Amino acid sequence: MLDLDEQALIEESKKHCEVFLQKEQRSLATFTRDPSLMYIPDPKLERFLLDPSKGVLYLPLQSFLDGKLDDNQIMWHIYYELSLYSDWKKQTKKYLNRKKDWQKEIDHMTSYILDRIKKEGLEEDCAYQPKIISNYARKEILDLLHLLDKQISFLRVLQMCPIYRDKENFEGIVSYMKQTGKTIESISQMPRHRAFANSLLIIELYKRVPTIEGCDENPFNRKVFNQSFFNFIHYQLVRQINNEQGIIERDPFIRSFIFPIFEQLWKEEIDEMVFYKSEGQKKEQVGGSENPFEQSKADEISDSLESTQEEEKKILQEMLDKQEQISWNVQNTIQGKVDLVPYGISETDQQLFQFYSNKMKMEREQMRQFWKKLIGDAKKEVSVKRGDQIKGKLNVGSFINSYPDFVEAEKKGNYKNIPIFNRYLLEPQTDRLPERIEISFVIDNSGSMNASKIEVARKALAVTLLSIDDFNQYLKSNAEQLNQKVEILSETWFFGSKYYNVKEFNDKNVKEKEKSDIIRSIVKLNATDGATDDASCLREIYDRITSKQDSELKKGKQKKIIFEITDGASSCPGSAKEAVQELLSKNVEIYAFQMGKSNNTNEKIFNFIWNEGYKEPHGIMIGEQIERLPKELLKAVGKNMQSVFDNY
């Protein structure tokens, strides 16, 4: 706990920092190209924290105090942290897709290493499997790009803010870099290719070319267009900065002039490696690393004030989410889409929903591909026998029945004219699918649903409801090819001490209401409904099955599926089990997912309701691995739809 004097110092420093930042607002806006970005000192932080969704950079005040940094030094750190910010905003996807853009180089190095492993006869060794090698190659290349991004950050600050070229200020920067491990001596401890990658910034700092151990010729002694290699790289990067060029121009430049040397040094190391079987003795490498394909921690900066590579990736993803949210709002405005406020959905609700929608984009796209394949398979024609013909594959039954005619015809030499061969035609399948498929989601909204459970339940519900909507659209657009109309509808129920229908089956094709109900299902999930009475909710769904629907369920003209999500045991286990049994007797498919930590009693109750006494279990225990819920729910929905389309 801080004493009063220390607390007072922090408060005083915080006020000073806020006033100082206010004065520098114009300079910061010019540098970042974003006048709306706010700067807030936080005494609890050890490093910078950029929150794109709020448009705030949180500053590590305590680190500034511990380092006894003056205003110029603080500003340098802010500039250095935000140096690529303007390019991040312009080329967010490009930064996030670097792995894909550099996949050719990653694959090439992976193949090179695997060939070397094969020569050693170790291709079956678990330590040298393709996935391990591919991950290693990817990390080495992405680390190179990250290092070069940091060099660009360093150079951009010097170009945009000449004050830091002054001897005193520059020495302060060098002092900080030394503290983070950026020294000439550190190069000697690194493998050649990493030493080369780190040397570019080292030379900028110390104006000296370090020795790279193991190199017959220092790569920095090379000439490019009659210039020394380093000078050429330096001036080209500075030129790109001054021309406000970013990753679009930088990465092709790296690929052409820097990566080939990096790759050459890397290959030399691979060629010199000594490989050992992973069983019985340690894996060793010339150079002293315990594992040749494990990232050394020696060259990683752990105590810098700036964001790490992983933190930057998270920032970029949040920036992309925000951009897509803005794009979505603009698109709605341009297209004149109906305001959802009359349906009880506020702008805040829409934004929260969009957040979860963005988070689950990848899973939704995977389901889209699944739906397309499922419908494509359903559209396939079947071979149908239509009588016999005079050529083709022999029909044994027809041959036996026509044998007397065959004997007679053979005598005359014209037996080939007898219709004893199969005749098949390709005909589309018709009326084999249910006309209506209903899916009900029964969601626990009781008080025991904490923040993490609500978060994962919202994700699961958002991606599943949207995926069902996608599937329904595909079904409508392919009705002619399927030779029948099929519609899939969803509803959502919440239960706690009471139950209520949040989203209704929308069979009137009112898009605004459907979207509003989907959004409501997500944002209204907030753990405010007391106990865990799922029995009453399941009973209500059972009571809503009409005699007509009951008949059509039996005939297969309709399909009804229920998915329950709960974090605990039912408050009324006997009634809940009875409701499940009655629903099953009506040909309703029903399943439950239990998530979160559970005790033995709750597990017994859950199994009693959902698994005991049935031919097949209907309950799935997810347990503490709650992040599995979206995947498991999507899998269950997909499996049931697959079953519908395969069995009809």
Side-chain angles (χ1 to χ4, degrees):
M1 191 173 177
L2 297 175
D3 58 41
L4 292 176
D5 290 342
E6 191 174 357
Q7 186 64 46
L9 176 63
I10 289 174
E11 288 299 322
E12 185 181 345
S13 300
K14 188 176 179 182
K15 287 179 183 177
H16 169 77
C17 196
E18 288 172 346
V19 172
F20 161 67
L21 289 169
Q22 189 65 36
K23 290 179 181 177
E24 297 292 340
Q25 187 71 37
R26 181 175 293 181
S27 298
L28 288 165
T30 302
F31 186 85
T32 62
R33 306 284 195 270
D34 187 354
S36 67
L37 192 62
M38 296 184 293
Y39 306 85
I40 301 176
D42 189 329
K44 297 178 182 177
L45 290 178
E46 294 181 356
R47 288 202 303 271
F48 286 100
L49 175 62
L50 178 61
D51 187 340
S53 63
K54 296 179 181 176
V56 177
L57 176 69
Y58 296 98
L59 281 61
L61 182 64
Q62 188 64 52
S63 297
F64 291 166
L65 291 173
D66 293 344
K68 297 181 174 59
L69 305 184
D70 61 28
D71 290 350
N72 277 340
Q73 290 170 321
I74 290 173
M75 285 299 294
W76 180 85
H77 282 287
I78 297 172
Y79 287 140
Y80 189 52
E81 171 72 9
L82 295 176
S83 190
L84 297 182
Y85 179 75
S86 58
D87 200 43
W88 284 353
K89 288 179 67 179
K90 285 193 295 185
Q91 301 295 340
T92 313
K93 287 186 178 179
K94 191 72 176 173
Y95 279 96
L96 284 171
N97 290 337
R98 253 179 167 169
K99 179 174 81 71
K100 183 180 178 181
D101 291 344
W102 285 80
Q103 193 61 50
K104 182 180 177 182
E105 287 78 9
I106 294 169
D107 290 343
H108 174 72
M109 283 305 303
T110 301
S111 297
Y112 189 88
I113 298 169
L114 289 173
D115 286 345
R116 177 79 171 82
I117 290 166
K118 190 175 181 180
K119 287 178 183 177
E120 298 292 331
L122 295 171
E123 63 267 32
E124 300 299 324
D125 195 300
C126 61
Y128 308 116
Q129 292 305 295
K131 186 176 181 181
I132 294 172
I133 304 304
S134 178
N135 289 339
Y136 161 74
R138 181 178 66 250
K139 188 172 191 314
E140 294 295 300
I141 291 174
L142 292 181
D143 281 355
L144 166 69
L145 298 173
H146 181 66
L147 283 168
L148 293 171
D149 282 354
K150 299 307 289 184
Q151 184 182 358
I152 285 290
S153 296
F154 174 84
L155 290 173
R156 186 165 184 264
V157 177
L158 295 185
Q159 291 302 116
M160 298 280 293
C161 311
I163 186 176
Y164 297 108
R165 300 181 210 167
D166 294 346
K167 184 179 179 182
E168 186 179 347
N169 287 323
F170 192 83
E171 286 177 353
I173 297 169
V174 172
S175 176
Y176 167 72
M177 291 296 188
K178 283 182 179 177
Q179 294 171 26
T180 61
K182 290 291 185 183
T183 63
I184 294 177
E185 293 73 26
S186 66
I187 299 297
S188 63
Q189 307 299 318
M190 299 178 188
R192 267 168 266 171
H193 66 293
R194 293 183 198 154
F196 167 72
N198 281 270
S199 291
L200 290 162
L201 182 56
I202 293 294
I203 300 171
E204 297 282 5
L205 289 168
Y206 302 103
K207 315 302 180 187
R208 286 171 52 195
V209 177
T211 301
I212 299 177
E213 298 292 334
C215 287
D216 294 333
E217 181 185 1
N218 195 313
F220 292 101
N221 293 336
R222 302 185 182 195
K223 296 279 187 179
V224 183
F225 299 128
N226 240 8
Q227 297 182 67
S228 72
F229 176 77
F230 174 79
N231 286 343
F232 172 77
I233 298 299
H234 171 88
Y235 288 121
Q236 290 301 316
L237 293 179
V238 169
R239 181 188 60 79
Q240 289 184 3
I241 291 167
N242 292 336
N243 292 337
E244 297 188 0
Q245 297 171 332
I247 190 174
I248 297 294
E249 294 77 17
R250 181 164 70 255
D251 273 18
F253 176 77
I254 293 170
R255 185 177 276 112
S256 298
F257 294 99
I258 300 176
F259 183 76
I261 298 176
F262 178 84
E263 184 183 52
Q264 180 190 335
L265 295 171
W266 192 4
K267 284 181 176 179
E268 290 174 5
E269 289 182 328
I270 301 297
D271 293 341
E272 296 170 5
M273 280 184 181
V274 178
F275 296 87
Y276 296 102
K277 291 182 180 179
S278 58
E279 296 178 3
Q281 53 185 317
K282 269 189 168 183
K283 301 178 288 292
E284 297 178 358
Q285 175 197 357
V286 172
S289 176
E290 288 187 355
N291 188 326
F293 306 117
E294 264 185 10
Q295 178 71 24
S296 172
K297 305 297 181 182
D299 57 327
E300 292 184 1
I301 300 172
S302 59
D303 57 348
S304 69
L305 297 177
E306 288 71 40
S307 301
T308 64
Q309 191 175 345
E310 283 303 309
E311 288 167 342
E312 286 181 5
K313 185 179 177 181
K314 185 180 177 183
I315 290 167
L316 286 162
Q317 187 58 59
E318 289 176 357
M319 288 176 77
L320 184 62
D321 290 345
K322 185 179 180 181
Q323 289 168 10
E324 290 182 345
Q325 170 63 46
I326 294 169
S327 175
W328 181 71
N329 291 337
V330 170
Q331 192 178 30
N332 284 350
T333 303
I334 294 172
Q335 294 178 358
K337 292 187 177 180
V338 176
D339 186 7
L340 299 181
V341 173
Y343 294 89
I345 303 299
S346 68
E347 189 66 30
T348 303
D349 291 339
Q350 294 182 57
Q351 290 174 358
L352 182 60
F353 165 74
Q354 193 62 32
F355 170 80
Y356 287 106
S357 178
N358 289 338
K359 286 287 184 185
M360 306 305 291
K361 279 191 303 184
M362 184 178 71
E363 291 81 0
R364 185 181 179 185
E365 182 57 35
Q366 289 171 349
M367 287 303 293
R368 284 195 182 110
Q369 299 308 314
F370 176 78
W371 299 139
K372 288 178 181 178
K373 185 179 184 304
L374 192 60
I375 293 172
D377 291 343
K379 286 161 49 176
K380 290 180 180 177
E381 296 173 315
V382 292
S383 182
V384 180
K385 187 174 184 294
R386 288 286 185 267
D388 297 316
Q389 59 187 17
I390 59 175
K391 59 182 179 179
K393 186 178 179 182
L394 180 67
N395 186 316
V396 177
S398 297
F399 177 72
I400 293 171
N401 292 331
S402 304
Y403 187 73
D405 295 332
F406 174 79
V407 173
E408 188 66 27
E410 190 178 30
K411 292 177 182 177
K412 299 177 182 179
N414 63 351
Y415 68 89
K416 292 183 179 179
N417 293 325
I418 300 176
I420 56 174
F421 299 94
N422 287 335
R423 177 173 175 255
Y424 285 92
L425 297 174
L426 287 174
E427 291 187 357
Q429 303 172 81
T430 59
D431 300 324
R432 68 183 189 90
L433 296 169
E435 297 173 358
R436 181 183 174 99
I437 304 171
E438 293 182 354
I439 302 181
S440 302
F441 296 96
V442 180
I443 313 298
D444 188 347
N445 198 37
S446 64
S448 58
M449 289 282 286
N450 59 29
S452 58
K453 293 174 187 175
I454 290 173
E455 178 82 1
V456 76
R458 283 175 168 175
K459 287 180 181 177
L461 201 53
V463 69
T464 308
L465 288 172
L466 288 170
S467 293
I468 290 172
D469 191 52
D470 291 337
F471 190 28
N472 203 30
Q473 297 306 314
Y474 289 147
L475 288 169
K476 287 178 181 177
S477 61
N478 286 274
E480 186 175 339
Q481 290 87 342
L482 289 170
N483 295 293
Q484 70 174 105
K485 180 184 177 184
V486 185
E487 65 177 348
I488 177 168
L489 306 173
S490 63
E491 68 169 359
T492 308
W493 293 82
F494 285 179
F495 69 87
S497 304
K498 54 185 181 180
Y499 63 87
Y500 45 97
N501 194 191
V502 183
K503 179 187 181 301
E504 300 174 343
F505 294 124
N506 179 22
D507 51 7
K508 296 179 181 177
N509 200 27
V510 182
K511 291 182 180 180
E512 290 78 16
K513 186 177 186 309
E514 179 73 4
K515 186 169 185 176
S516 298
D517 285 349
I518 289 175
I519 294 173
R520 190 175 291 105
S521 300
I522 310 309
V523 302
K524 301 303 181 185
L525 185 60
N526 53 15
T528 57
D529 292 328
T532 313
D533 182 13
D534 55 345
S536 299
C537 188
L538 295 174
R539 172 66 62 183
E540 177 65 26
I541 296 174
Y542 174 83
D543 290 341
R544 291 192 176 196
I545 299 174
T546 63
S547 56
K548 180 183 178 182
Q549 188 178 25
D550 184 24
S551 173
E552 292 191 340
L553 285 168
K554 289 176 181 175
K555 295 176 183 177
K557 289 187 177 182
Q558 284 199 37
K559 188 78 174 176
K560 192 171 180 67
I561 311 167
I562 300 171
F563 297 102
E564 178 176 316
I565 297 172
T566 182
D567 78 327
S570 173
S571 303
C572 311
S575 299
K577 188 173 183 73
E578 186 179 325
V580 172
Q581 290 173 330
E582 289 180 341
L583 284 162
L584 288 170
S585 71
K586 294 287 187 181
N587 294 298
V588 177
E589 297 285 341
I590 182 167
Y591 307 90
F593 299 85
Q594 184 278 331
M595 63 171 178
K597 191 174 182 180
S598 184
N599 55 43
N600 288 335
T601 302
N602 285 346
E603 287 181 15
K604 286 181 180 178
I605 293 173
F606 182 83
N607 283 320
F608 165 72
I609 297 170
W610 298 100
N611 295 326
E612 292 178 8
Y614 308 117
K615 291 182 180 179
E616 295 181 357
H618 294 270
I620 301 167
M621 296 285 294
I622 292 178
E624 295 183 65
Q625 294 179 311
I626 60 174
E627 66 280 354
R628 289 174 47 211
L629 178 64
K631 182 179 179 181
E632 292 294 333
L633 182 59
L634 284 173
K635 187 166 71 175
V637 171
K639 186 177 179 181
N640 273 269
M641 292 300 102
Q642 181 90 55
S643 176
V644 169
F645 277 66
D646 286 350
N647 293 334
Y648 281 82

